[in-house]
Structures are given as C-alpha cells and as structure tokens.
Amino acid sequence: MAKKIGVLTGGGDCPGLNPVIRAVVRKALNEGFEVIGIKNGWKGLVQNFTQKLDLKSTSGILPKGGTILGTSRTNPYENNELLKKAKQNFKKLKLTALVAIGGEDTLGVAAKFSKDGFPVIGIPKTIDNDVPLTDSTFGFDTAVNIATEAIDRLHTTAESHHRVMVVEVMGRHAGWIAVDAAIAGGGDYALIPEIPIKIDELIDSIKKRKKRGKHFSIIVVAEGAKLSSGKTILQSEELDAFGHVKLGGIGQRLAAMIEEKTGFETRVTVLGHLLRGGSPSAYDRILGTKFGVKAVELIMQGKSGYMVSLQGNKIGAVKIEKILGKLRTVTKEYYAIAEEFFG
Ligand code: F6P
C-alpha cells in the first residue's frame, strides 16, 4: 500500500503555518510518502475536500502568512453525523497518518482520532503561545514583533499629543503577547488575564509619569484581561464550535476609565487580527520547519497521539492528552520583569 500522509491546519491561522506545511511535504517526499492536503481544517475531512501537495504546490510558500490549506473551527466531534463522515473519509483517503496543525481545539480532536484508532500527529500552533509542554509555538514571535512595531509607532504620536495610548492585543486567556510586547516596546503598563486589573495602581502609575515630566503613557492590555469584578469583556456571547466566546473591547473600557480618573486625553488602538497576518518572522519559519520535519519522523517511527514540542533548544514530542484542558499562562515571576518598567 502507498505510504500517504495527510496534513490539515485548524483553528485561527497564524504566521508559520505555510513553513510547516512545506517542511512536512519536503520531508515526507524525501522519505517516499505521498502527501495530501486536507482543506479548511477538520471541515475538509468531513467533506473530503483535499488537494495534492507536492514540490510544485508548496513552492514559494515559505514567506507567506496564513495557510494555503485554509482553516476552520469545525469540530467533527460536535455531532455523530460529522464524525461518521470524517472517519469514513480518513479511511477512504488511505492515510498512513494525518498531521494536524493547530491549537488546543485542533489537537484535542487529534487526540480523540488517535484514540479511536486513526493515526494522528499534532503540531502546536497559536499566536497566543498558551499550549502547555512546549516552550513556544510558532506565530507568537511574529505577533510580538508586530505588536512591538505598533507600540514603537504609537510612542511618537502619544508623545506629540501628550496622550495616553491604550493598545489592545489578542492572546485569549494568556497574556504572553501583551507582556512580551510591553517588554520589547517599552510599554508603561501591561494588563494581562492572569492578574486582575488594579485600576488604582494603573492610574497612580500614569499620574506618577506625568509628575516626572512624562506627559504620555503606553498601556498594553490583553483582550482577556479581567476587570476587578473578575469579568472579561466580550464582543459577543456567541460560542464557536469549541465553546469559545469572542473576546475584545477591554481597551475601550479601560480608556474611558483612564480618561475619567486622570482627565488625560486617551486613545485606543486594537491590533486584533493584524497580529496574525503577514509574513512569518525568521524564528517562526525555523521553528515551523523543525516541527514539520519532526512530525514526519514520528510517523516513520509509527507514533500516534503525540504532539511535537520545543523543549529548551531541542524538538521533542509529548502525548497530546497531557496538554489538554490546560493552558500555559504568564507566571508572576515573568510578569515581574515587565513590572520593573511600569510607571
Ligand atoms: O487563538 C488565536 C486568536 O487570535 C486569539 O488570540 C483570539 O482571541 C482569537 O483567535 C480570535 O479568533 P477569530 O479569528 O475567530 O476572531
């Protein structure tokens, strides 16, 4: 029987997905596999919507953002009908194994498929950098670079107008993008989901800066940051197929509070999906490439239900089950580094 590897990308896109696809294809072809791309995440498996992946179809994709395979947040385990179709198609495609590239949701489905007897290897992906048991995910570095550049740009306009600038960044329930962008961009305060917002401390810090002649402040806030009530601000109550709410809006809320409590003119910039767009950084291209090669090696070793992971400077693998239901979030010790520069 022909050796055949399937590849899919699920969940939110992020810079680095195409380098991973390219690496899986190159390594797989070198090892004598055929490779098939499954379009639009798990949805493509349900619909049997595929495309052949070879040297030609993956040529020139290394610097491209997004994913040439398309993505979706479809959960085949949402109902029996979807699951039946996905399993039938898995068999029909005669896959030796499937490489599922995604965040916790996509990986969760991968683990279930593996348990149900369908060989799957997971590759962690997310700009949020919140997947446990991997030191980093590709996409995060690019997102932090974009946020840092935005903060650099906001500095000059904030200083000219003597304004407070609130910068809202993505990250879901983890504050990695916010805290790292604040460190790299010289943010004057960073608010993250892991530590409830202490509005009085924030206001004091902005006022202190003013007293020492700094008539502007840059406040970085993660979309999932919680008000002292413990509440996150939502764009809508609607849930996706994996039960996630849409976060967003904390920047506006915070800006209004700051203006009211300080009397300083305040503006908001929501970076949103800009953080996920465009070309991946060199770091993300390299990490993605290493992950892709490792995934094919694991398939060649007959492994299933594993996720490739970065451990120190080595690429290893962990059982997907070990990462499910957990999030890798910012520690107090890590946040303390950014705190040194507040105010
Ligand atoms: O998980 C990646 C992420 O970009 C989060 O940071 C954000 O909350 C979410 O996806 C946005 O999802 P969507 O693209 O569906 O709006």
Side-chain angles (χ1 to χ4, degrees):
M1 196 169 82
K3 298 193 298 178
K4 201 197 233 178
I5 291 179
V7 192
L8 65 78
T9 53
D13 72 321
C14 91
L17 284 167
N18 287 326
V20 181
I21 295 167
R22 172 180 173 268
V24 169
V25 172
R26 291 297 285 257
K27 175 70 179 164
L29 294 179
N30 289 344
E31 301 294 345
F33 287 92
E34 210 186 298
V35 192
I36 193 101
I38 290 153
K39 304 288 282 186
N40 305 327
W42 296 110
K43 193 180 189 176
L45 194 61
V46 173
Q47 299 173 335
N48 199 15
F49 184 19
T50 62
Q51 102 177 60
K52 187 177 161 67
L53 289 176
D54 54 19
L55 289 183
K56 198 168 168 218
S57 57
T58 55
S59 167
I61 67 171
L62 182 62
K64 280 195 185 151
T67 160
I68 58 160
L69 291 176
T71 187
S72 72
R73 294 199 196 276
T74 298
N75 179 2
Y77 282 85
E78 198 173 57
N79 69 57
N80 285 338
E81 199 47 40
L82 293 183
L83 189 59
K84 202 172 127 198
K85 282 188 185 153
K87 287 185 173 172
Q88 272 170 357
N89 289 329
F90 201 117
K91 281 187 196 148
K92 220 189 263 172
L93 288 167
K94 296 196 168 63
L95 300 178
T96 310
L98 173 67
V99 177
I101 314 167
E104 204 216 348
D105 300 330
T106 307
L107 296 172
V109 173
K112 284 185 184 160
F113 262 97
S114 179
K115 238 187 177 164
D116 290 349
F118 297 87
V120 184
I121 292 295
I123 299 187
K125 158 253 54 156
T126 169
I127 61 163
D128 305 338
N129 208 23
D130 58 359
V131 179
L133 300 181
T134 182
D135 293 346
S136 182
T137 50
F138 60 86
F140 172 66
D141 181 69
T142 309
V144 170
N145 277 299
I146 296 168
T148 303
E149 195 200 330
I151 294 169
D152 286 348
R153 287 175 187 276
L154 288 169
H155 260 103
T156 58
T157 172
E159 191 163 10
S160 306
H161 282 268
H162 323 293
R163 280 173 173 160
V164 177
M165 288 287 189
V166 175
V167 190
E168 182 183 309
V169 296
M170 282 185 167
R172 199 103 74 180
H173 303 295
W176 293 109
I177 299 177
V179 78
D180 270 11
I183 292 173
D188 304 304
Y189 214 95
L191 300 155
I192 60 171
E194 293 83 346
I195 299 170
I197 297 175
K198 294 181 195 109
I199 193 76
D200 294 339
E201 275 182 24
L202 170 65
I203 300 298
D204 276 356
S205 149
I206 296 171
K207 285 184 177 165
K208 258 188 214 149
R209 275 178 61 79
K210 182 110 170 166
K211 265 195 197 137
R212 68 178 177 89
K214 290 286 183 188
H215 297 277
F216 72 96
S217 286
I218 307 279
I219 314 301
V220 186
V221 60
E223 61 179 1
K226 295 183 192 82
L227 297 168
S228 48
S229 61
K231 277 201 173 144
T232 45
I233 308 293
L234 306 181
Q235 276 182 54
S236 85
E237 300 280 341
E238 206 184 304
L239 301 180
D240 69 16
F242 288 93
H244 299 298
V245 288
K246 258 194 209 141
L247 294 166
I250 184 71
Q252 283 293 352
R253 190 68 87 83
L254 204 62
M257 285 182 185
I258 294 170
E259 213 165 58
E260 190 202 307
K261 289 182 188 280
T262 62
F264 304 153
E265 200 175 21
T266 306
R267 294 284 190 270
V268 188
T269 303
V270 180
L271 293 178
H273 293 85
L274 278 176
L275 297 174
R276 292 209 324 234
S279 191
S281 66
Y283 179 87
D284 284 337
R285 294 180 200 191
I286 295 165
L287 183 61
T289 299
K290 289 178 179 171
F291 277 179
V293 169
K294 181 73 180 180
V296 177
E297 284 171 1
L298 291 173
I299 291 172
M300 289 167 64
Q301 290 161 15
K303 296 242 163 71
S304 175
Y306 280 82
M307 173 190 95
V308 305
S309 82
L310 178 67
Q311 297 159 8
N313 57 9
K314 291 210 172 77
I315 307 294
V318 294
K319 272 270 180 203
I320 299 177
E321 276 159 12
K322 289 199 175 155
I323 64 117
L324 298 178
K326 297 172 201 146
L327 282 183
R328 199 177 76 87
T329 50
V330 178
T331 58
K332 282 210 173 85
E333 296 72 39
Y334 195 81
Y335 185 69
I337 302 169
E339 269 183 316
E340 296 288 349
F341 302 92
F342 290 175

